[in-house]
Amino acid sequence: MDLYEHQARQLFEEHGILVPRAAVTDSPGRARGIARELGGRAVVKAQVKTGGRGKAGGVRLAENPAAAERAAREMLAMTIKGHPVRSVMLARPVDIEAEFYVSYVLDRAAGRFLAIASAEGGTEIEEVAAARPEAVTRVPVDPAEGVTPRKATEIVRAAGLPPRTADVLVRLWEVLTREDALLVEVNPLVRTAQGQILALDGKVTLDDNARFRQARRAERETAPDDPLEAAAAAKGLTYVKLDGEVGVIGNGAGLVMSTLDVVAGSGARPANFLDIGGGASARVMSDGLSVVLSDPGVTSVLVNVFGGITACDAVADGIVAALDAVRPTKPIVVRLDGNNAARGRAVLGERAHPLVHQAATMDEAARLAARLAHLS
Amino acid sequence: MAVFLTKQSKVLVQGMTGAEGMRHTRRMLAAGTDVVGGVNPRKAGLTVAFDVPGAEGRVGIPRTVPVFGSVREGIEATGADVSVVFVPPAFARAAVLEAADAGIALVVVITEGIPVHDSVAFNAHAAATGTRVIGPNCPGLITPGQANAGIIPADITGPGPIGLVSKSGTLTYQLMHELRDIGFSTCVGIGGDPVAGTSHIDCLAAFEQDPDTELIVLIGEIGGDAEERAAAYVRDHVTKPVVGYVAGFTAPEGRTMGHAGAIVSGSSGTARAKKKALEEAGVRVGETPTETARLVLERLAERTVPRNGVRR
């Protein structure tokens, strides 16, 4: 899960990294009050989990509280790259003398974290790396040792950062490990005219798998913007909304991704990704089907299950249960193979619902679902 | 021969007495795996009886499997060299570290939902102790007709000349099903997490050395650059034919598609880039699982063409 900037800022602050004074709000009126408390001038920043915010007009310097209120009102009406702006952060402006970049990212191939640092902060690090690779320093971190003050000194020296930034790197490693983050990035890390080292903007991605041991995770989690994704999340389903017309349900992430591709190859567009997982029960199948059928963009549904651990008869029972509960008006193409497939097909055959079609193979099922999607 | 897992492998199951562990231990035994023990400090000294179904038409043989208090005790009593981990995510790190320290050669981590920092830690430790980790968040591996370490259904297909490596469990099953008339040497599910103990490359290297493997199927998906690295490895080091498949062409940027590691970040990790890299390395890549299976059949047929190019 990606955090909002203001949440990342809060984590940095909790771990002793200096950040500018700031507050977050969803009300233009309160934005005016916050600006006043900050001394009149404020940087108003739209809170969205996407890059390119500055270019979209989501970061503005307000010279006085009235201007801050105006900027906040405008930003709260904006949608940046499909992300509606639900809140703004107001921060006290600082006099920047130099901008740096520091982050810890997962090096998937090496199976460990990398410290990345550059004396050229303020722009996207990918751009710096592309233009001047020598300006970006990468140092692998031994997970057993972590980032000690000595290691941090090695990193900032290699990158040509001021020695005092080493402390930030040590604390940032604490953020990464203690909060179970997959990415922590400070960009820019600045030296102010007064000589302070401040984290001006940051990005944090938390590991969803660590929820069980991160007691404060729930307060940082926000429901998905998309109502269907929110409904699916509430039912504990692994669902991603796309914008096509064929609803897709399958078991196993790889098979479902593959099913989306096969649907696309059959001349239709997948409407969603929905993985009912291994060993799915009839209940999960039924929940999944009701979410997918409630998508107004869906004109046909493809259920593609290869039963490894999942029993196809349980899947079929779930479909039958959903038929009674949801009363679908859209055709459903079902392909069942593997564990208990014959029994599953028989369950659907006996139910003989006019909208349920069975297909023998995945490709055939996708073609049929695509054709039915275009008919309705 | 096969890779990583054979008839001779002696398998411990960490977390055998849990619901998943019980269910899959029974299936592993049914597939002929030499499961020599379970590990659970709270149930040490007990034995667990499994009603193992026989192969078609044959009566099942009940089996009892002892539970040991630690992996080390299990090794001392049985000579186990493989461990399959079913423990919940919160205990997985300790389980893998214990297995590595006890000297297990291969640890297969089925558990899904392990925090990445834990995977990073146990992989680094396993590298130091010389332990191979497969997974986490994987279906394990099967050498059909010999042994099964994990949750891959053993009844899809039998032994044959194809070696398979995949990030995805169900796509593995799908391909095994499509190619069930040919059969497999070993199928390795390396898992869909961002950090995997065993990579596509490790499996390619093993299959290249394995006399039982004539052709390699490589299944990848969006996220990271493991497939691109595998492509470079194929180009430089693999002489056997390789057929590939990549899932996730229609995945949107920045969204995690089921597997924790399946995410396109900016322009990196796309299915298109992976397919291109594989094809440039001489790997034929199928558009669908079914087409991938067809390409495998074609390549196998080519291998039986005599040198003069006349078939039969």
Side-chain angles (χ1 to χ4, degrees):
Chain A
M1 179 190 53
D2 293 340
L3 291 186
Y4 287 106
E5 179 197 9
H6 70 90
Q7 295 174 310
R9 176 192 170 281
Q10 191 194 341
L11 277 188
F12 295 160
E13 193 173 32
E14 284 170 13
H15 288 272
I17 297 169
L18 286 181
V19 292
R21 267 190 71 194
V24 65
T25 179
D26 58 1
S27 137
R30 254 177 281 147
R32 177 193 280 254
I34 292 167
R36 203 177 298 123
E37 283 166 31
L38 292 173
R41 293 173 78 226
V43 184
V44 187
K45 304 169 96 175
Q47 298 297 290
V48 280
K49 296 178 182 182
T50 182
R53 174 180 65 169
K55 282 177 192 149
V59 181
R60 277 158 59 182
L61 176 65
E63 289 297 338
N64 54 56
E69 178 176 343
R70 226 168 21 247
R73 176 167 290 118
E74 284 166 24
M75 280 182 204
L76 287 164
M78 282 167 62
T79 295
I80 298 175
K81 291 188 184 168
H83 299 256
V85 179
R86 302 205 191 281
S87 63
V88 293
M89 186 173 92
L90 291 96
R92 172 183 274 177
V94 295
D95 293 332
I96 298 169
E97 205 176 73
E99 293 184 295
F100 317 110
Y101 173 96
V102 292
S103 71
Y104 295 112
V105 303
L106 181 63
D107 177 350
R108 292 172 53 146
R112 58 179 57 193
F113 284 87
L114 268 182
I116 303 183
S118 173
E120 298 181 19
T123 46
E124 292 279 326
I125 195 68
E126 288 83 3
E127 289 171 23
V128 181
R132 305 201 328 103
E134 71 282 2
V136 179
T137 300
R138 291 182 173 80
V139 182
V141 180
D142 181 335
E145 286 178 18
V147 176
T148 57
R150 183 196 207 135
K151 180 80 178 178
T153 302
E154 175 197 326
I155 297 164
V156 300
R157 242 187 228 151
L161 265 52
R164 282 188 302 133
T165 58
D167 179 59
V168 174
L169 275 165
V170 172
R171 292 175 188 275
L172 204 58
W173 182 258
E174 275 181 30
V175 175
L176 183 85
T177 51
R178 298 217 185 138
E179 305 291 339
D180 268 306
L182 298 176
L183 165 77
V184 291
E185 181 186 76
V186 180
N187 188 24
L189 178 71
V190 303
R191 186 177 63 222
T192 66
Q194 294 74 35
Q196 277 186 316
I197 303 291
L198 283 184
L200 219 57
D201 196 351
K203 195 177 164 193
V204 172
T205 305
L206 299 177
D207 184 355
D208 293 337
N209 283 355
R211 260 191 210 116
F212 68 83
R213 65 182 178 203
Q214 292 290 345
R216 295 183 52 204
R217 220 26 109 68
E219 68 192 61
R220 298 204 167 91
E221 290 186 359
T222 40
D225 284 333
D226 182 273
L228 284 162
E229 289 191 349
K235 289 180 170 165
L237 298 169
T238 308
Y239 174 94
V240 177
K241 176 81 182 89
L242 305 170
D243 50 11
E245 55 281 347
V246 178
V248 175
I249 303 174
N251 64 324
L255 184 65
V256 181
M257 276 189 270
S258 170
T259 309
L260 303 183
D261 295 347
V262 175
V263 165
S266 305
R269 292 174 310 158
N272 66 275
F273 169 100
L274 203 175
D275 174 12
I276 58 169
S281 64
R283 161 90 192 277
V284 171
M285 183 65 226
S286 167
D287 281 351
L289 204 49
S290 57
V291 168
V292 170
L293 285 166
S294 67
D295 179 347
V298 164
T299 52
S300 79
V301 178
L302 169 54
V303 178
N304 184 23
V305 170
F306 190 93
I309 315 157
T310 306
C312 290
D313 51 343
V315 172
D317 288 341
I319 295 170
V320 169
L323 291 174
D324 296 332
V326 190
R327 307 210 165 272
T329 55
K330 301 158 185 177
I332 301 167
V333 179
V334 183
R335 175 263 181 166
L336 299 175
D337 232 324
N339 188 9
N340 290 356
R343 261 192 276 170
R345 292 189 204 117
V347 167
L348 292 179
E350 277 162 34
R351 181 66 176 74
H353 192 284
L355 285 171
V356 176
H357 308 263
Q358 296 206 55
T361 68
M362 177 167 162
D363 293 10
E364 191 187 316
R367 279 195 296 270
L368 181 56
R371 201 165 66 234
L372 292 169
H374 294 315
L375 283 179
S376 49
Chain B
M1 256 291 287
V3 307
F4 305 143
L5 183 75
T6 68
K7 191 92 200 154
Q8 280 70 47
S9 302
K10 291 184 187 301
V11 178
L12 283 178
V13 181
Q14 292 176 264
M16 184 180 80
T17 49
E20 287 296 292
M22 289 292 286
R23 179 170 167 194
H24 291 291
T25 299
R26 181 169 165 273
R27 294 171 74 137
M28 286 190 264
L29 286 165
T33 315
D34 191 8
V35 179
V36 295
V39 179
N40 182 340
R42 284 169 291 116
K43 296 190 177 170
L46 297 178
T47 55
V48 180
F50 289 92
D51 169 30
V52 177
E56 274 174 69
R58 272 186 285 157
V59 181
I61 321 137
R63 287 276 304 266
T64 52
V65 177
V67 181
F68 299 100
S70 69
V71 175
R72 193 174 299 278
E73 285 169 34
I75 293 174
E76 279 164 7
T78 66
D81 54 356
V82 175
S83 170
V84 186
V85 175
F86 284 100
V87 303
F91 308 104
R93 173 183 169 144
V96 178
L97 294 180
E98 183 193 342
D101 283 335
I104 285 281
L106 171 66
V107 185
V108 183
V109 188
I110 307 301
T111 311
E112 178 176 4
I114 299 174
V116 166
H117 283 280
D118 290 6
S119 299
V120 166
F122 67 59
N123 275 317
H125 190 76
T129 57
T131 312
R132 172 172 299 287
V133 174
I134 293 181
N137 187 16
C138 80
L141 71 164
I142 184 169
T143 297
Q146 296 195 45
N148 188 12
I151 64 175
I152 298 175
D155 54 3
I156 302 177
T157 181
I162 307 168
L164 181 147
V165 52
S166 170
K167 281 180 176 175
S168 155
T170 36
L171 280 178
T172 299
Y173 313 159
Q174 176 72 33
L175 262 298
M176 288 170 75
H177 177 72
E178 302 250 10
L179 294 162
R180 60 191 179 277
D181 295 338
I182 309 293
F184 291 77
S185 53
T186 302
C187 300
V188 188
I190 58 173
D193 270 7
V195 172
T198 291
S199 67
H200 285 108
I201 291 175
D202 297 330
C203 296
L204 288 169
F207 284 132
E208 174 70 11
Q209 295 300 319
D210 173 33
D212 291 346
T213 302
E214 290 175 28
L215 178 146
I216 304 162
V217 174
L218 185 154
I219 302 174
E221 64 189 30
I222 55 164
D225 66 350
E227 293 79 1
E228 285 88 337
R229 288 168 179 269
Y233 188 85
V234 168
R235 189 189 57 221
D236 297 339
H237 302 287
V238 179
T239 60
K240 294 178 182 178
V242 182
V243 172
Y245 177 71
V246 181
F249 282 85
T250 42
E253 194 264 322
R255 301 300 307 268
T256 304
M257 303 297 272
H259 281 157
I263 179 167
V264 173
S265 315
S267 60
S268 78
T270 66
R272 201 159 306 285
K274 293 172 187 300
K275 180 171 191 268
K276 183 163 173 277
L278 287 166
E279 285 177 339
E280 283 171 2
V283 176
R284 289 193 208 166
V285 182
E287 293 284 336
T288 70
T290 306
E291 198 206 346
T292 308
R294 193 173 52 71
L295 292 174
V296 169
L297 296 178
E298 276 178 27
R299 296 228 66 173
L300 283 173
E302 283 165 21
R303 277 176 67 80
T304 58
V305 174
R307 275 183 196 282
N308 62 12
V310 183
R311 204 177 285 256
R312 248 158 254 145

